[in-house]
Amino acid sequence: DIMDTNNAFFIRQAEKADLGRAATILTDGFYKDKTNFFTYPIERMNTALSLQSTFQTYQYAGRSGGAKHCMLVACRSSDGKVMGFCEVDDIVPKNEVNAAPRPYMHNLAVEEEFRRMGLANALIRHCEDMVRDEWDQSRLYLRMKENNDAAMRIYYKCGYVLESSHISADKETVLLLGKTRVLLLGKTLILNTVEST
């Protein structure tokens, strides 16, 4: 677990019991403005089922040296309430057109009432540390929608740079969000080296 400097929150690996809260945070963060009274519960359920499936698939993979995947949560120190969520993986997806390079950070979202407290930055730093120190990788990538100014500010402030962009042609994305430009950002992580004397 990693604690923030004010001890207001900490970052830890997600547990199965966290996935319902994570699904709500993700659905609110990515779909709240694009759903209504009828479609919101369906989107939240789809998100929860997807998270549960991913969690079960990769829960023990890292221990055996297999696929690397981690779900992280930012929790309030006073009561452990999950306030933010993020995933990072080093799994090249099968049959995905225009797949992002790996390692890849995704599904970063913070509950609206807890934004501007440093949770997103802490989740990003935790992903970077894991990728660099535990996975021995020197790059980390992410994708974001071009019109997400708040995310753009955070990622640029953290040192991410534009690698490429494309128009989203994913059938589900076009139906829900219309065609949007998706940006691929990347960052070089300085590997920790131990010098021998």
Side-chain angles (χ1 to χ4, degrees):
D1 296 357
I2 292 181
M3 190 79 71
D4 82 307
T5 55
N6 298 325
N7 294 328
F9 64 88
F10 59 93
I11 307 293
R12 65 169 170 77
Q13 286 196 20
E15 300 168 357
K16 189 173 185 179
D18 300 322
L19 300 181
R21 275 287 295 140
T24 298
I25 291 167
L26 289 169
T27 306
D28 288 350
F30 294 115
Y31 299 107
K32 193 172 191 176
D33 296 336
K34 294 151 189 71
T35 57
N36 60 40
F37 177 78
F38 298 106
T39 59
Y40 177 88
I42 295 167
E43 191 60 51
R44 189 198 169 284
M45 182 181 68
N46 286 338
T47 302
L49 292 172
S50 176
L51 289 176
Q52 289 173 3
S53 173
T54 301
F55 184 85
Q56 289 173 344
T57 299
Y58 297 110
Q59 184 174 10
Y60 303 109
R63 295 180 191 170
S64 62
K68 295 177 180 123
H69 179 273
C70 186
M71 294 178 170
L72 299 170
V73 289
C75 302
R76 186 167 48 200
S77 295
S78 62
D79 60 4
K81 179 180 181 174
V82 174
M83 305 181 299
F85 179 82
C86 185
E87 291 181 75
V88 62
D89 73 63
D90 196 18
I91 305 160
V92 178
K94 296 180 177 105
N95 304 323
E96 184 177 321
V97 177
N98 201 18
R102 296 312 200 252
Y104 179 62
M105 179 173 50
H106 53 107
N107 280 344
L108 173 62
V110 174
E111 189 173 349
E112 192 168 0
E113 72 177 279
F114 301 113
R115 292 180 186 160
R116 303 199 191 303
M117 293 175 53
L119 275 73
N121 284 322
L123 286 163
I124 292 167
R125 279 194 317 275
H126 196 90
C127 287
E128 292 172 355
D129 292 346
M130 179 179 297
V131 166
R132 181 189 59 240
D133 301 339
E134 296 175 31
W135 298 359
D136 294 321
Q137 297 287 329
S138 61
R139 298 275 300 158
L140 181 58
Y141 298 92
L142 63 96
R143 282 192 172 150
M144 59 168 290
K145 298 215 175 358
E146 183 178 47
N147 59 356
N148 189 339
D149 295 334
M152 182 81 73
R153 282 190 299 276
I154 291 169
Y155 293 134
Y156 281 168
K157 185 177 178 183
C158 289
Y160 287 82
V161 296
L162 180 64
E163 301 271 333
S164 64
S165 67
H166 72 277
I167 301 294
S168 175
D170 179 39
K171 184 170 50 175
E172 290 81 15
T173 303
V174 170
L175 288 174
L176 282 173
L177 311 174
K179 288 188 178 183
T180 57
R181 181 165 297 281
V182 176
L183 308 177
L184 174 68
L185 304 180
K187 180 179 179 178
T188 299
L189 308 173
I190 306 300
L191 294 175
N192 292 333
T193 57
V194 177
E195 293 184 27
S196 58
T197 55

